[in-house]
Amino acid sequence: MTKRVGILTSGGDCPGLNATIRGAAKALYNQFGANVEIIGIRNGYAGLIEGDWQEMKQSDFSGILTTGGTILGTQRTPFKLMKVIGEDKVDKVARMKDNYKKLKLDCLLCLGGNGTHKTANLLAQEGLNIIGLPKTIDNDIWGTDVTFGFHSAMNIATDVIDRIHTTASSHRRVMVIELMGNKAGWLTLYSGIAGGADIILIPELPYDIENVAAAIEKRNKNGRTFSILAVAEGAMDRQEAKMKKKERLAYRQEHGIKTATNRIAAQIEQMTGVETRVCVPGHMQRGGSPSAYDRVLATRFGTYAAKLVAEDRYGVAVAMVNNQVVDNPLAEIAGKSKLVPADCPMLEVARSMGVSLG
Ligand code: F6P
């Protein structure tokens, strides 16, 4: 009996997607030989809706371990719109089910973050055989200690902080580095520690700008002529934290606040008198080759997914718990985010190093 396995990558890309695809594909070919057919769905769920796919050859999975991005392409297809029938009158869920059937798939591997897992769960509830694989530089998927992409992004962000250190020191400036993470501060916290940032601001811990300015002034008094801030793009002050998202966006628009980092930099310059600059590495954090750690993680996750296929175990998401690869029911993890908890030991590490958390 031939197994027909679909694979798609959905949501924001990150290093390690291709390594995971390769891990799953090689393990599938190894187990099933000629009795497996792999179908690559292009551009995430959009490809499943639109019927955009290709029959993959074994050679398609060679030479991709180290390459960034995704050979299948990706796209954000928001979960909240999945059940909404728009002007195009397309019933997206029905289309995905139809195309899954038309392709005669035995199962579908969905590589992605929180949004991807929500849709994966929806499709599983609709009766499709789905396996989720945890991808994101944000590291915020519920039920797994780590996601692939996070480690590579942390390396890139740490390199940015290292490079900013030397120029901050030469110019005696405050440098505010904006790192990715709208809701989750893992990347900023870990790269901030790895890069020796003086102040780390994450969305989960709303800051008080007075505390930030005081930390800079304290350094100045101690003879330190520069300061480095690692700031998550979703950082907010304590006043904003009390607002609902819509209210906060309206408040920012009204006050001409484009980004958290620009606002922080302007306030710091005004309060401390120290020349301040903003650095935004942006999508560089998601680009390029995966770290060795992520290659191993991706390969472990991919091969585990192949094992699930061999066992016909579906409706689950692959995860890492205490350095063991396991799987969680999709229904249990979908719709939840793993944010930095108030008692996270890394926060304690930061505090005990004298790092200000705002
Ligand atoms: O979820 C990954 C992520 O990189 C976030 O950290 C960031 O806020 C967002 O994606 C950026 O999305 P886009 O690539 O769509 O601009």
Side-chain angles (χ1 to χ4, degrees):
M1 268 276 283
T2 303
K3 283 258 182 214
R4 282 181 60 84
V5 180
I7 306 186
L8 63 78
T9 55
S10 176
D13 72 345
C14 74
L17 279 164
N18 287 329
T20 307
I21 293 170
R22 171 184 174 271
K26 290 216 172 211
L28 284 169
Y29 287 124
N30 215 24
Q31 285 181 49
F32 295 101
N35 292 327
V36 66
E37 288 163 356
I38 300 181
I39 294 87
I41 316 285
R42 292 198 195 93
N43 307 322
Y45 294 115
L48 192 58
I49 296 165
E50 291 154 16
D52 188 4
W53 56 69
Q54 69 188 90
E55 299 274 347
M56 308 292 283
K57 301 184 298 298
Q58 206 161 337
S59 59
D60 291 330
F61 302 102
S62 289
I64 62 168
L65 173 64
T66 61
T67 52
T70 157
I71 57 166
L72 299 175
T74 187
Q75 191 171 311
R76 290 189 192 278
T77 313
F79 171 73
K80 64 177 180 208
L81 298 180
M82 279 300 180
K83 285 186 179 164
V84 178
I85 302 193
E87 279 173 12
D88 56 8
K89 304 268 186 292
V90 172
D91 181 335
K92 295 183 266 302
V93 178
R95 277 275 194 93
M96 288 193 279
K97 285 169 68 179
D98 284 352
N99 281 328
Y100 178 97
K101 287 195 183 115
K102 200 186 279 177
L103 277 167
K104 297 190 171 44
L105 293 181
D106 290 297
C107 63
L108 176 64
L109 311 188
C110 301
L111 283 61
N114 279 323
T116 303
H117 280 79
K118 281 195 258 185
T119 300
N121 183 44
L122 170 69
L123 293 178
Q125 284 170 348
E126 292 286 331
L128 308 191
N129 292 332
I130 305 288
I131 297 171
L133 287 122
K135 162 247 63 160
T136 169
I137 67 163
D138 295 342
N139 196 33
D140 60 348
I141 296 183
W142 188 263
T144 184
D145 295 343
V146 68
T147 57
F148 63 86
F150 172 65
H151 187 273
S152 306
M154 183 172 64
N155 280 355
I156 299 164
T158 302
D159 186 45
V160 170
I161 300 175
D162 289 348
R163 286 169 191 277
I164 289 294
H165 247 108
T166 60
T167 171
S169 164
S170 313
H171 287 269
R172 299 175 304 283
R173 282 173 172 159
V174 172
M175 297 296 293
V176 182
I177 307 167
E178 178 181 309
L179 298 168
M180 276 189 165
N182 248 319
K183 293 189 190 137
W186 296 108
L187 180 59
T188 303
L189 180 57
Y190 274 69
S191 56
I193 297 284
D198 307 299
I199 296 158
I200 298 177
L201 305 180
I202 61 172
E204 296 90 334
L205 284 185
Y207 63 87
D208 180 339
I209 196 69
E210 299 285 344
N211 293 343
V212 177
I216 292 166
E217 269 159 359
K218 187 174 165 203
R219 277 178 58 79
N220 292 347
K221 277 202 194 92
N222 290 338
R224 311 311 304 265
T225 55
F226 69 92
S227 293
I228 306 283
L229 279 79
V231 179
E233 60 184 333
M236 59 186 105
D237 69 18
R238 290 187 192 159
Q239 190 194 348
E240 286 180 315
K242 291 188 193 127
M243 302 175 190
K244 295 229 163 66
K245 191 178 171 194
K246 264 195 184 157
E247 216 183 318
R248 188 161 58 240
L249 292 177
Y251 170 86
R252 286 198 173 182
Q253 202 170 11
E254 196 184 316
H255 291 81
I257 302 164
K258 286 210 178 91
T259 63
T261 39
N262 280 313
R263 176 202 205 186
I264 290 166
Q267 287 174 314
I268 288 173
E269 198 163 63
Q270 205 208 351
M271 292 167 86
T272 65
V274 184
E275 196 174 34
T276 304
R277 293 284 188 275
V278 172
C279 165
V280 186
H283 289 79
M284 271 194 276
Q285 294 161 95
R286 297 221 311 249
S289 189
S291 65
Y293 178 91
D294 267 339
R295 293 179 202 181
V296 173
L297 184 66
T299 306
R300 288 181 76 183
F301 281 166
T303 54
Y304 188 90
K307 184 169 88 92
L308 291 171
V309 174
E311 292 167 2
D312 283 320
R313 290 190 48 221
Y314 304 118
V316 293
V318 179
M320 179 72 82
V321 177
N322 296 330
N323 207 26
Q324 297 296 317
V325 185
V326 296
D327 54 275
N328 294 310
L330 270 169
E332 269 178 28
I333 63 133
K336 295 183 193 162
S337 294
K338 184 192 71 182
L339 303 180
V340 178
D343 62 354
C344 174
M346 280 302 278
L347 294 175
E348 213 29 61
V349 169
R351 286 192 190 99
S352 64
M353 295 283 293
V355 172
S356 167
L357 298 170

